[in-house]
Amino acid sequence: MQNYLSKKAVGISPYTAGAQPKEKNIIKLNTNENPYPPSPKTLQAYENFDAKKLRLYPRPDGGELRKTIAEIFKLHESYVFCGNGSDEVLGFAYDAFFDKDIMFPNITYSFFPVWADLFDITYNLLPLNANFTIPIDKLKAPGGIVLANPNAPTGIALSLDDVQKVLKNNKDCVVIVDEAYGAFGAQSAAPLVPEYENLLIVNTLSKSHSLAGLRIGYALGQPHLIDGLVRIKDSFNSYPIDSIAQCVAAAALRDKEYYSGIAKKIMATRESTKKRLEDLGYSVLPSCSNFLFVTHKSKKAADIKKYLEENKIFVRHFNAPLISDYLRISIGTDEQMDTLIQKLTKFEG
């Protein structure tokens, strides 16, 4: 058959998402989804949406959603960009700000090198320390810096002071901080946006606001950076977020009490699960995310994953150098984590 793919399509290694099993009655702890539903106010906004408006194009700038984000972070709307999930926003950011010689850790969100390859951007990988922390003083590059904070898949977070050090050490390029998991215990760098002209924060409502199925992402940065994102977006698709998503996401962001409550619940479950795993002989990295990164003293991660899947529990295994002995376990409800521990206890026996 004739090969109709471009050279780029043939040569690229795409991002691999976590498995989406179709079986019923499974415990899905492999894609970091929030185990709790959107708030009643969020669902009400969806139910009350005037479907007659769907004949019209949505606001290209995010409309009500952009305004709400600006109000929450006490920023002018010119500091806010909205997109279809943080992955889209990050892709636009790569295209808008990077040409060559960027840097990110060698263990991090596995989409980071994919975008670099897609846009033909050369990059350097910074090796993590033995304890999986980032050697901040070595994080320097002439072309740009990309950080996940907390980092993925480790869950380890940088302090605000560390983020400032990175910004000061890379004044001549854009520093992107992906805060997808920041709601679960990390310090947000949002307060630094008015001070640092090279800082772009990217976030999503998928984890923190139980809206993974809606695909809502946004960026915070000074107006010249937001303008760069808009230039790329409007050269690709000038209407990225649909009207329903803008309405529902804005309602979710306004319901701070509900989502703060479920974040605290997830963090409490995370810490109790961490202790129970350690009691079973697992080493667990400190986490400020809605997942744990764990390894067993004697059992192979791949074998544990296989056993759990046989018992209808899905976790994530990255068969990659330095982390092939680790599993990433999303935090579910207390009941789901009880089942996980019960099954792992039997596996020990």
Side-chain angles (χ1 to χ4, degrees), residues 200-271:
L200 187 80
I201 294 174
V202 178
N203 211 333
T204 174
L205 273 63
S206 294
K207 286 79 176 176
S208 59
H209 288 73
S210 306
L211 292 176
L214 201 63
R215 311 307 302 136
I216 294 294
Y218 64 88
L220 305 176
Q222 293 190 14
H224 60 280
L225 297 184
I226 301 303
D227 179 66
L229 293 174
V230 172
R231 290 173 65 86
I232 297 299
K233 186 260 295 182
D234 286 354
S235 299
F236 178 75
N237 177 6
S238 58
Y239 295 96
I241 304 180
D242 68 69
S243 300
I244 298 175
Q246 290 182 22
C247 172
V248 175
L253 284 167
R254 289 193 293 267
D255 198 354
K256 297 179 183 179
E257 184 177 356
Y258 176 87
Y259 291 103
S260 175
I262 61 173
K264 290 176 182 177
K265 189 181 297 186
I266 289 168
M267 288 188 281
T269 303
R270 179 189 69 207
E271 295 309 306

Side-chain angles (χ1 to χ4, degrees), residues 271-284 296-297 341 344-345 348:
E271 295 309 306
S272 62
T273 302
K274 179 177 184 291
K275 184 178 185 307
R276 296 168 77 182
L277 286 168
E278 289 172 338
D279 290 342
L280 288 176
Y282 290 82
S283 295
V284 186
H296 193 274
K297 58 185 178 182
I341 296 298
L344 289 176
T345 301
E348 287 294 307

Side-chain angles (χ1 to χ4, degrees), residues 36 150 154-157 183-186 262-279 282 284-294 329-334 337-338 340-341:
Y36 300 104
T154 67
I156 298 175
F184 305 100
I262 61 173
K264 290 176 182 177
K265 189 181 297 186
I266 289 168
M267 288 188 281
T269 303
R270 179 189 69 207
E271 295 309 306
S272 62
T273 302
K274 179 177 184 291
K275 184 178 185 307
R276 296 168 77 182
L277 286 168
E278 289 172 338
D279 290 342
Y282 290 82
V284 186
L285 296 187
S287 176
C288 288
S289 61
N290 65 337
F291 58 83
L292 293 170
F293 203 50
V294 312
I329 303 174
S330 305
I331 302 301
T333 63
D334 286 331
M337 305 317 283
D338 285 343
L340 170 74
I341 296 298

